Amino acid sequence: MRTWPLSSLAVLGLLSLSPVVYADGCALSIDANDAMQYSVKHLEVPASCTDVTLTLHHIGKLPVKAMGHNWVLTRKADAAAVASAGAAAGAAKEYLPSGDARVIAATKLIGGGESASVTFSTAALKASEDYSYFCSFPGHASMMKGTLTLAK
Ligand code: ZN
């Protein structure tokens, strides 16, 4: 079914046969805790996904001001600079520089017990490149980071 023309997929989508459009592998999930840890260090996106939905679950108890977490995706080469820019942006901007083209996807900042999702297109991702995800809360990116790749 992966080779069906887009128009067929669109029609199936209208008929609510959504499992065809949203394959299970296109929904990714990651946990974050009060010890500044993500549950996974590597996420792989199946090549068949055109859109990916990442859901971040904060399984801790601490409030967002003390132990806020988000999930920010950039090219690996941009990660450190975006983390710095995020810290400089401050709490009011949820520690992310606004309108920064280096940010491919980002969830909102959440506290313990909360969840947040972001959906992004894989059109901007290259199989030849490594991508980094991290939490942009000040001081967290050194521990809360991982790599995202497109399956080859
Ligand atoms: Zn964090």
Side-chain angles (χ1 to χ4, degrees), residues 68-70 135 137 140 144:
H69 297 316
N70 60 8
C135 174
F137 193 95
H140 287 201
M144 301 186 71

Short mmCIF file of all heavy atoms in Angstrom, two decimals, residues 68-70 135 137 140 144, ligand 1:
data_model
loop_
_atom_site.label_atom_id
_atom_site.label_comp_id
_atom_site.label_asym_id
_atom_site.label_seq_id
_atom_site.Cartn_x
_atom_site.Cartn_y
_atom_site.Cartn_z
N GLY A 68 10.78 21.63 34.11
CA GLY A 68 10.06 21.64 32.83
C GLY A 68 10.81 20.84 31.78
O GLY A 68 12.04 20.83 31.75
N HIS A 69 10.04 20.16 30.95
CA HIS A 69 10.65 19.41 29.84
C HIS A 69 9.92 19.72 28.54
O HIS A 69 8.70 19.90 28.54
CB HIS A 69 10.57 17.90 30.08
CG HIS A 69 11.34 17.41 31.27
ND1 HIS A 69 12.60 17.85 31.58
CD2 HIS A 69 11.00 16.52 32.23
CE1 HIS A 69 13.03 17.22 32.69
NE2 HIS A 69 12.07 16.42 33.10
N ASN A 70 10.68 19.73 27.47
CA ASN A 70 10.09 19.75 26.13
C ASN A 70 10.91 18.82 25.26
O ASN A 70 11.83 18.13 25.75
CB ASN A 70 10.03 21.19 25.56
CG ASN A 70 11.38 21.84 25.44
OD1 ASN A 70 12.43 21.21 25.65
ND2 ASN A 70 11.39 23.13 25.13
N CYS A 135 16.00 18.64 25.48
CA CYS A 135 15.14 19.51 26.27
C CYS A 135 15.84 20.85 26.39
O CYS A 135 17.00 20.91 26.78
CB CYS A 135 14.89 18.90 27.65
SG CYS A 135 13.97 20.00 28.75
N PHE A 137 15.06 23.35 28.42
CA PHE A 137 15.05 23.95 29.76
C PHE A 137 16.51 24.14 30.17
O PHE A 137 17.33 23.23 29.98
CB PHE A 137 14.33 23.01 30.74
CG PHE A 137 13.97 23.63 32.07
CD1 PHE A 137 12.71 24.17 32.29
CD2 PHE A 137 14.89 23.65 33.11
CE1 PHE A 137 12.37 24.73 33.52
CE2 PHE A 137 14.57 24.21 34.34
CZ PHE A 137 13.29 24.75 34.54
N HIS A 140 19.34 21.36 31.01
CA HIS A 140 18.85 20.00 30.80
C HIS A 140 19.46 19.30 29.58
O HIS A 140 19.56 18.07 29.55
CB HIS A 140 17.33 19.98 30.66
CG HIS A 140 16.62 20.21 31.96
ND1 HIS A 140 15.31 19.84 32.17
CD2 HIS A 140 17.04 20.77 33.12
CE1 HIS A 140 14.95 20.17 33.41
NE2 HIS A 140 15.98 20.74 33.98
N MET A 144 19.57 15.51 28.76
CA MET A 144 18.36 15.15 28.01
C MET A 144 18.58 15.39 26.53
O MET A 144 18.26 16.46 26.00
CB MET A 144 17.16 15.97 28.51
CG MET A 144 16.88 15.78 29.99
SD MET A 144 15.38 16.61 30.50
CE MET A 144 14.13 15.59 29.73
ZN ZN B 1 13.90 19.27 30.80
#
